[in-house]
Amino acid sequence: GMDGTTMEFQQLPTIKPSHTAFNRLFRFDYTDERSMRKGLREDVVRQIVGDAHAQAELEKEFNLLSEDRNSLRQIFSKGDSRLAMPVNLGRIIWNAQNTFHIDPRQTTDLNPVHVAKSVQALSEKLIVIPGDDKLSKEAQINSTHLFNMLLRSVLASNKVIYTHKLSSAAFDWVLGEVESRFQ
């Protein structure tokens, strides 16, 4: 089980926003080059605009966040979005911003597709119940389901780039910290 002394309450950011606000907060709009240039370097913007695979990955990320949101709204039907979790993601992001001296006025070198794929890879690495049998796999999914939803929502590419303004180095550090603290 998880150590109760390390558990902290955190908000699930996907439950409460309206549909319009949810789209604005979590969908990475790869069709608006002008808007992308406010947060991304020019070379990254060109990569995304010209790559259908990258656009498909960003749509896949948003669709997964939408599925998470629907699941969470069923689980927490009364709208309470506070949950005790083993890793305080907000604090890790704040530490990364301070450690790497993130300037919120600067563009980032971070690619949103890298963010989406890295968060998915991290999600698969977070093992609570090891084993390859059917029962172990199901128990693993059940034990990390809510944390993975929180992880995907807090580290969604749109939020990482436009809200948290993380650089590539800071983002990779955040992923490493989450993985080490989860274990």
Side-chain angles (χ1 to χ4, degrees):
M2 294 288 173
D3 181 7
T5 61
T6 63
M7 303 296 266
E8 294 185 59
F9 280 99
Q10 296 178 68
Q11 294 285 339
L12 290 163
T14 55
I15 293 179
K16 290 187 179 180
S18 67
H19 183 68
T20 306
F22 179 77
N23 282 338
R24 184 176 32 80
L25 291 169
F26 294 100
R27 172 171 261 148
F28 191 92
D29 187 3
Y30 52 82
T31 61
D32 186 358
E33 287 183 50
R34 185 174 179 213
S35 165
M36 281 196 296
R37 284 188 176 88
K38 292 178 183 174
L40 298 171
R41 288 191 338 205
E42 185 63 32
D43 58 322
V44 177
V45 171
R46 273 189 259 115
Q47 285 175 356
I48 295 167
V49 169
D51 187 356
H53 176 70
Q55 295 170 3
E57 281 294 323
L58 294 171
E59 282 301 317
K60 181 179 160 187
E61 177 196 40
F62 181 74
N63 291 337
L64 189 54
L65 285 166
S66 296
E67 289 173 22
D68 288 350
R69 180 179 194 226
N70 292 334
S71 295
L72 287 169
R73 284 184 163 183
Q74 289 177 346
I75 295 168
F76 300 102
S77 58
K78 294 184 179 164
D80 183 25
S81 60
R82 285 176 37 90
L83 204 56
M85 289 289 171
V87 178
N88 189 321
L89 298 175
R91 184 175 302 121
I92 291 174
I93 291 168
W94 184 85
N95 286 339
Q97 290 169 329
N98 288 314
T99 302
F100 291 88
H101 307 291
I102 302 298
D103 182 356
R105 297 175 303 251
Q106 296 294 316
T107 57
T108 182
D109 61 335
L110 197 53
N111 188 316
V113 176
H114 170 70
V115 172
K117 287 182 176 181
S118 297
V119 169
Q120 186 60 38
L122 174 62
S123 180
E124 293 167 7
K125 283 187 206 174
L126 302 177
I127 305 293
V128 174
I129 301 169
D132 290 329
D133 60 288
K134 185 179 177 184
L135 189 60
S136 295
K137 286 182 178 182
E138 186 175 335
Q140 167 63 23
I141 290 168
N142 291 339
S143 62
T144 58
H145 191 63
L146 288 175
F147 184 75
N148 284 329
M149 288 181 184
L150 176 69
L151 186 68
R152 285 191 290 265
S153 64
V154 172
L155 296 180
S157 58
N158 197 44
K159 295 199 63 87
V160 168
I161 290 168
Y162 296 114
T163 305
H164 308 313
K165 305 272 189 168
L166 297 180
S167 64
S168 291
F171 177 70
D172 291 340
W173 183 85
V174 166
L175 295 178
E177 282 294 302
V178 170
E179 184 177 4
S180 68
R181 291 187 188 188
F182 190 85
Q183 306 302 338

